[in-house]
Amino acid sequence: MKLTWKLTVFLVLGTLVVTAAVAAVRIRQETGSFEADIRQDNDLLGRAVAAAARRMWETAGEAQALALVKEANERETQVEIRWVWLNAPSGDKSGPAVDRRRLAVLERGEVAVLRLPDPTKGQDVLYTFVPVRIPGDRRAAIELGESLAKERAFVRGMIGNVVVTTFLIVVVCGAIAMGLGVFFVGRPVRALVEQARRVGHGDLASRTALRPGDELGDLSREMNAMCDQLAAANGKIASETAARLATIEQLRHADRLMTVGKLASGIAHELGTPINVVAGRAQLIADDHEPGTPAHDNAAIVIEQAERMATIIRQLLDFARRQPAKKSRQPLHPVVAQTVDMLTPMARKRGIDLVVEEVDEGLVANLDPSQLQQVVINLVVNGIHAMRESGTVSLGIGREHVTPPPEHGGGAGDYLSVRVRDQGVGIPEEVVPHIFEPFFTTKDVGDGTGLGLSVAYGIVQEHSGWITVDSKVGKGSCFTVYLPQEGA
Ligand SMILES: Nc1ncnc2c1ncn2[C@@H]1O[C@H](COP(=O)(O)OP(=O)(O)OP(=O)(O)O)[C@@H](O)[C@H]1O
Ligand SMILES: [Mg+2]
């Protein structure tokens, strides 16, 4: 609005200056030509009267000549015509109305024109003196005096005209400039200011739709483009921040797993030998006694429990990856098929079907079959345990285009997948982050060690892969192991 006002004021001032200058020039020209007309008229009139008076003087004498001039004066309304004696004593009424010294040209027979102010009337009077040659010494002239009051009135009228015209021009131009300014500048600028304010408050969806074709339209288009870029940059920053936070969380998680793993492997290592000793001695006792005797039976229980402990220790050592994976180019399908064969009896007992679906038999990976089998066994056993009633645990292997998690690194690409899906109890959201931790279990004491998934995690990591979990409480869970393709 302020811009519109400024534009309007400058436009009006400009118009005013131009109109005033044009009017001043015109007034000057008009008054000039007005006076020139009067001079010419009076010159002609004076010469005519002077010639007639001179002829009259010559033919009829002085009195008739003076009477002629008097009569001419009576006929003329605008101009006062007088016979004047140039050598009349000063102050004499028959002398000229002006200072005689200014009439020297008359001596040479020329016409004298003088513009003099008339203090009694407050305006200028134009005097024209035409010399009259008469016999004798006396010198006479015809004096014509015309008041310039009309000229003044004319100028005043013209100024009035100019003022009214200028006023109308100013009002009309001002109104047009104001209207156009509001329409072409005020409104679009207000819309742009509004948009800038909204963008400042973070509303990047804000857009202005100004007509293209002028600078403000270009500005609007640029601002819209800027909003798009800002929104895109914001989205990128948000997703990068989220990814970074997720990475930090994952790294923390991996770090925790590693620490606990080291601790566990240390303990397992220390316990391995004594347990072997315990089992060996118990075997000796059992061998020394007849089966059915209390000593033999007790020794058998000791052996059984020692074996259980040894299994746990083996799992711990697996978790700590004491034995490096012996990887080679292997087909994926047999690993899954053997696992299913192995676990089918256990599943049947619980009324659960183990089903292999989506099998692509041609998939090959660089893997240690026994270690990968351990992974699949752990996942399938967990699935079976999670099902309180009969149902299906299904397995599938395939190839998928996925993006690895941040802590794994690498870009999106094709990876091999081994999927184990159950219809069990599912995993609560707050539990999911802990399931890969060693010794994390929700099972009763003696039912689970909480090592199955941490072992699987370690093995898969060693195979340069990762595991994802998708679970819904009451609906079931789906664990997917991703492995790089052979040759990738
Ligand atoms: N398929 C699943 N459905 C529901 N919960 C699961 C599933 N798989 C794992 N869990 C949860 O994750 C926990 C950890 O699993 P993990 O296999 O590491 O240990 P575990 O099964 O408890 O013991 P084990 O050492 O005998 O495997 C489980 O106790 C269970 O709460
Ligand atoms: Mg388990």
Side-chain angles (χ1 to χ4, degrees):
M1 196 61 186
K2 285 171 203 145
L3 192 62
T4 306
W5 270 112
K6 278 185 197 164
L7 283 176
T8 309
V9 166
F10 281 114
L11 191 78
V12 163
L13 279 180
T15 316
L16 213 63
V17 168
V18 170
T19 325
V22 168
V25 169
R26 248 195 77 202
I27 287 173
R28 234 197 157 112
Q29 283 173 346
E30 292 286 328
T31 46
S33 76
F34 189 91
E35 202 177 310
D37 279 355
I38 292 177
R39 276 170 192 258
Q40 199 180 7
D41 288 353
N42 289 359
D43 187 84
L44 283 175
L45 182 62
R47 282 177 196 276
V49 171
R54 188 172 159 219
R55 261 196 311 275
M56 189 59 89
W57 185 293
E58 282 167 358
T59 54
E62 175 181 351
Q64 289 302 315
L66 295 185
L68 182 139
V69 173
K70 202 169 173 195
E71 199 190 320
N73 180 48
E74 276 159 11
R75 280 209 199 126
E76 193 56 54
T77 50
Q78 309 280 345
V79 192
E80 206 173 311
I81 308 172
R82 277 203 313 142
W83 178 281
V84 289
W85 295 109
L86 296 175
N87 42 7
S90 62
D92 194 305
K93 276 192 181 159
S94 64
V98 306
D99 187 350
R100 259 159 251 214
R101 277 168 298 178
R102 304 180 69 175
L103 298 176
V105 291
L106 295 180
E107 300 293 339
R108 300 194 297 270
E110 287 169 22
V111 175
V113 181
L114 298 168
R115 182 182 176 138
L116 294 172
D118 184 346
T120 55
K121 292 176 190 155
Q123 69 221 354
D124 288 359
V125 177
L126 189 76
Y127 289 103
T128 311
F129 292 91
V130 183
V132 187
R133 294 207 180 277
I134 47 167
D137 294 343
R138 289 193 300 174
R139 286 195 312 284
I142 300 297
E143 179 196 274
L144 295 99
E146 180 161 1
S147 156
L148 290 177
K150 258 185 10 194
E151 185 198 62
R152 238 173 110 153
F154 170 78
V155 170
R156 212 175 286 144
M158 222 171 136
I159 290 176
N161 257 357
V162 166
V163 168
V164 171
T165 317
T166 309
F167 176 76
L168 286 178
I169 289 176
V170 162
V171 167
V172 172
C173 281
I176 290 174
M178 194 75 190
L180 292 181
V182 166
F183 186 76
F184 286 115
V185 179
R187 234 178 26 139
V189 167
R190 224 177 8 253
L192 288 170
V193 167
E194 235 347 274
Q195 185 185 12
R197 198 169 290 149
R198 282 199 298 268
V199 170
H201 285 118
D203 173 14
L204 295 177
S206 154
R207 295 285 179 276
T208 48
L210 297 185
R211 255 170 307 161
D214 60 15
E215 288 85 344
L216 292 175
D218 292 349
L219 182 58
S220 152
R221 206 188 48 234
E222 287 303 321
M223 271 182 77
N224 289 344
M226 182 190 77
C227 283
D228 288 340
Q229 284 163 358
L230 281 178
N234 260 9
K236 207 172 151 203
I237 289 172
S239 67
E240 274 173 7
T241 308
R244 210 163 289 158
L245 287 178
T247 311
I248 291 171
E249 191 42 50
Q250 298 280 2
L251 285 176
R252 211 177 279 154
H253 188 66
D255 199 40
R256 207 160 52 221
L257 288 186
M258 209 167 76
T259 312
V260 179
K262 270 188 193 150
L263 189 71
S265 79
I267 294 172
H269 192 77
E270 292 302 318
L271 289 183
T273 316
I275 283 171
N276 280 340
V277 173
V278 169
R281 294 298 161 115
Q283 191 63 54
L284 287 178
I285 296 170
D287 292 346
D288 284 350
H289 294 81
E290 286 298 312
T293 58
H296 180 275
D297 290 352
N298 285 336
I301 290 170
V302 171
I303 293 167
E304 193 190 333
Q305 292 305 313
E307 264 165 15
R308 202 172 114 98
M309 281 190 264
T311 310
I312 292 172
I313 286 165
R314 206 169 38 250
Q315 278 181 320
L316 266 179
L317 288 172
D318 282 347
F319 168 67
R321 269 164 284 121
R322 273 305 166 85
Q323 293 131 344
K326 295 183 197 89
K327 287 185 270 183
S328 58
R329 211 179 117 86
Q330 299 283 340
L332 257 183
H333 180 245
V335 178
V336 173
Q338 281 165 20
T339 311
V340 170
D341 288 346
M342 200 188 295
L343 295 176
T344 298
M346 172 194 169
R348 285 251 175 80
K349 249 191 244 167
R350 295 174 169 243
I352 292 163
D353 289 331
L354 274 191
V355 185
V356 181
E357 50 195 30
E358 332 159 22
V359 166
D360 182 343
E361 295 194 4
L363 298 178
V364 174
N366 190 28
L367 53 88
D368 179 332
S370 69
Q371 286 200 352
L372 191 67
Q373 192 169 49
Q374 200 181 345
V375 172
V376 182
I377 290 172
N378 285 344
L379 295 179
V380 173
V381 169
N382 279 350
I384 292 171
H385 284 165
M387 286 170 51
R388 299 278 143 82
E389 46 203 70
S390 59
T392 310
V393 172
S394 57
L395 291 94
I397 55 178
R399 196 199 309 265
E400 281 179 49
H401 188 85
V402 284
T403 308
E407 77 276 10
H408 180 274
D414 284 341
Y415 287 84
L416 303 184
S417 63
V418 179
R419 197 178 302 273
V420 178
R421 192 192 299 274
D422 66 61
Q423 299 168 331
V425 292
I427 311 170
E429 217 174 293
E430 66 278 8
V431 171
V432 172
H434 301 290
I435 57 175
F436 293 102
E437 287 173 9
F439 303 111
F440 176 84
T441 179
T442 55
K443 294 173 185 168
D444 292 335
V445 179
D447 282 353
T449 56
L451 282 172
L453 284 182
S454 43
V455 168
Y457 180 91
I459 292 173
V460 172
Q461 221 179 25
E462 193 153 315
H463 281 75
S464 310
W466 71 95
I467 307 181
T468 65
V469 194
D470 182 21
S471 186
K472 263 216 175 84
V473 174
K475 290 255 152 72
S477 313
C478 178
F479 284 77
T480 311
V481 174
Y482 289 99
L483 298 172
Q485 293 192 89
E486 167 57 4

